[in-house]
Amino acid sequence: APRGTDTTHFSIIDADGNMVSATLSVNLPYGSAFVPPGTGVLLNNEMDDFALVADAPNAYGLIGREANAPAAGKRMLSSMTPTFVRGPDRTLVIGTPGGSRIITMVLLGVLEFIDGADAMGIVSARRIHHQYLPDAISAETGALSTETVHALEAMGHTVDAGRRDWGNMHVAIWNRGTGEVEAASDPRTESGRADVR
Ligand code: DON
């Protein structure tokens, strides 16, 4: 498969029931664009996940203040949400890249799981997002019906519908009753892969 350019997520369940949910990021393309001489390691630019200037949006439009201000030894806020959910019969491993939208995407995926969706149903579900500021609901094409958009606007919401797709979700599900394992990679991108062996 072609390589992606974004943050990467792996969802893994092995034959012994060991599980990994791992999201890895250099934040923005090429990270800090700096390789310390002799290391071959591209440094990230996760510093942008701090509120570098109070009330000024970061690359994802997130706004913060003192609580997320940079300081020695402190860790910046992250939206990365590698997740396990243990339901009554099934166990879910889920995660995705996507900056500030990650939290919403994983929540929507977990809700699909609770509603009984299979792995492909979870990664395929249309997505909506709100992050408090900017005060607008964004929605992928087809995520909200025209009636729903109008109803939300009538309630005073700003709706930015018909946005380009986002995310690259990877899901593995173990049905502990039947022993069956299934996996799915987000159909929005060709860089992902899902295998059950
Ligand atoms: O930790 C965070 O929330 C961000 N650094 C994640 C960046 C990301 O997902 C970019 N991917 N598309």
Side-chain angles (χ1 to χ4, degrees):
R3 293 185 184 190
T5 56
D6 292 309
T7 302
T8 298
H9 180 85
F10 297 105
S11 294
I12 298 166
I13 303 173
D14 79 5
D16 296 319
N18 298 303
M19 300 186 292
V20 176
S21 185
T23 312
L24 306 100
S25 183
V26 292
N27 198 25
L28 300 175
Y30 296 104
S32 64
F34 180 68
V35 177
T39 67
V41 176
L42 175 67
L43 298 190
N44 67 52
N45 72 334
E46 298 290 344
M47 288 299 285
D48 187 61
D49 284 343
F50 276 124
L52 298 174
V53 178
D55 294 323
N58 73 0
Y60 301 100
L62 296 171
I63 289 175
R65 295 189 183 163
E66 303 78 44
N68 192 34
K74 199 166 153 188
R75 195 157 171 177
M76 59 290 282
L77 274 183
S78 174
S79 302
M80 291 191 287
T81 316
T83 299
F84 301 136
V85 179
R86 189 179 161 93
D89 310 310
R90 301 189 300 164
T91 298
L92 169 72
V93 184
I94 184 171
T96 180
S100 57
R101 294 188 177 108
I102 292 172
I103 300 168
T104 331
M105 284 190 268
V106 170
L107 173 63
L108 291 171
V110 169
L111 293 173
E112 291 286 335
F113 175 73
I114 290 169
D115 285 346
D118 64 9
M120 188 44 89
I122 292 170
V123 298
S124 308
R126 307 310 293 163
R127 295 176 177 144
I128 60 173
H129 175 70
H130 196 301
Q131 61 184 42
Y132 180 58
L133 291 173
D135 187 8
I137 299 166
S138 49
E140 291 181 334
T141 304
L144 297 176
S145 67
T146 308
E147 299 78 59
T148 302
V149 171
H150 289 159
L152 288 165
E153 287 172 342
M155 294 164 71
H157 291 285
T158 300
V159 183
D160 187 7
R163 293 283 297 266
R164 66 170 177 84
D165 292 352
W166 61 77
N168 186 2
M169 181 172 282
H170 286 75
V171 158
I173 297 175
W174 172 26
N175 186 318
R176 302 189 309 278
T178 64
E180 185 196 352
V181 174
E182 49 162 339
S185 157
D186 204 311
R188 290 164 182 77
T189 134
E190 292 178 358
S191 63
R193 197 169 142 182
D195 279 330
V196 178
R197 289 180 240 173

